[in-house]
Amino acid sequence: MYCVLLGPPGSGKGTQSEFLVEALGLIHVATGDMFREHLRHQSELGRKAQSYIDEGNLVPDEITIAMLLERIDATQGGSTIFDGFPRTIDQARALDIALTDRGQKGDHVLLLEGSSEELVLRLGGRLTCPADGTIYHETKSPPEIPGHCDQCSNLLMQRSDDEPKAITNRIQVYNEQTAPVAEYYEQTGMLVRIDGSQPPNQVRGELLKVLKESRSNGDT
Ligand code: AMP
């Protein structure tokens, strides 16, 4: 099963995909996490991507698609959830071609929708553990010990692209470049819209329902 989780920054893609990975044993392919890993190691790809990420812009398609194709090969045909990819129409086309070339096809595109005001609130208070990637929110889901990860006690950080200026830009970039990707998938009949402003448990329930139905219909 190949599933794409689409949605504006702050709509809960990261949190929800982690849950689905655990609940359904999916392979998590998150291009944002992959880029952050490259930044941490200051790889050549990380250095190329840094300024785009810091300012809240998209990393150019040729870099992103090449990185993604390598990652798809590493999944060896296992059921996968794509989180944060595709973000442009060209990326969506590249994913279609990549899956077809490998004798596969996309099964679902799940779109988490949310209002701009709610997204800004969520992103502004978001705290991330740099060690294990766990996501918290200052008020909505605070860690037990303020400023420290519940899992590994590491000091939590605010992502550089969760600064107010970058947040505004990321939402604008989403509206201009990624919202058309939802329309692209709508035309294929694969798109399922989910209200991402509901409490996280409710969002989980809806996502699970769609994916479990797909499994019981015989998708791998
Ligand atoms: P995310 O963690 O998914 O919010 O991604 C963080 C940042 O990584 C984005 O704001 C982009 O700069 C970059 N990025 C992640 N995925 C993509 C993608 N599919 N295409 C281009 N840039 C991406």
Side-chain angles (χ1 to χ4, degrees):
M1 176 172 72
Y2 286 89
C3 164
V4 168
L5 195 54
L6 268 186
S11 59
K13 295 188 300 295
T15 307
Q16 295 297 344
S17 18
E18 269 166 30
F19 163 73
L20 292 172
V21 163
E22 206 162 297
L24 300 174
L26 304 177
I27 299 169
H28 189 196
V29 174
T31 40
D33 289 350
M34 293 165 74
F35 281 129
R36 279 185 289 279
E37 196 60 26
H38 279 285
L39 291 183
R40 252 195 301 279
H41 292 107
Q42 278 296 295
S43 70
E44 197 188 331
L45 195 154
R47 284 194 296 274
K48 280 188 194 159
Q50 177 113 47
S51 62
Y52 297 100
I53 295 173
D54 285 347
E55 284 161 28
N57 291 318
L58 295 185
V59 179
D61 279 345
E62 60 181 48
I63 299 177
T64 308
I65 292 169
M67 179 179 79
L68 193 272
L69 293 182
E70 235 177 72
R71 182 72 182 90
I72 291 186
D73 285 332
T75 64
Q76 300 184 325
S79 287
T80 299
I81 183 161
F82 295 99
D83 159 10
F85 186 96
R87 270 170 146 110
T88 64
I89 296 276
D90 281 348
Q91 291 182 14
R93 292 202 179 110
L95 180 60
D96 284 349
I97 293 169
L99 293 179
T100 306
D101 284 352
R102 289 159 179 78
Q104 308 281 356
K105 65 170 183 58
D107 296 290
H108 292 290
V109 179
L110 303 158
L111 172 63
L112 296 180
E113 296 182 296
S115 73
S116 299
E117 296 76 28
E118 172 73 9
L119 300 174
V120 170
L121 272 182
R122 283 190 187 180
L123 292 170
R126 183 159 74 172
L127 295 168
T128 310
C129 174
D132 63 22
T134 311
I135 301 163
Y136 300 86
H137 189 277
E138 278 169 358
T139 53
K140 292 174 193 284
S141 52
E144 278 170 25
I145 302 169
H148 292 269
C149 179
D150 292 348
Q151 318 291 331
C152 67
S153 307
N154 241 285
L155 206 56
L156 301 176
M157 296 179 65
Q158 185 180 44
R159 278 169 42 173
S160 59
D161 57 351
D162 281 344
E163 305 279 346
K165 206 168 141 210
I167 290 177
T168 312
N169 191 36
R170 283 162 69 202
I171 292 176
Q172 190 177 340
V173 165
Y174 176 84
N175 290 333
E176 287 171 6
Q177 299 190 58
T178 310
V181 175
E183 286 161 30
Y184 171 89
Y185 284 121
E186 183 125 63
Q187 284 163 16
T188 66
M190 285 163 70
L191 190 80
V192 178
R193 292 175 187 273
I194 291 179
D195 177 3
S197 67
Q198 303 175 93
N201 277 345
Q202 237 162 297
V203 177
R204 274 172 204 188
E206 289 196 23
L207 291 169
L208 259 188
K209 192 162 166 264
V210 174
L211 298 182
K212 280 191 169 161
E213 271 169 17
S214 152
R215 285 205 156 167
S216 60
N217 288 339
D219 299 337
T220 47

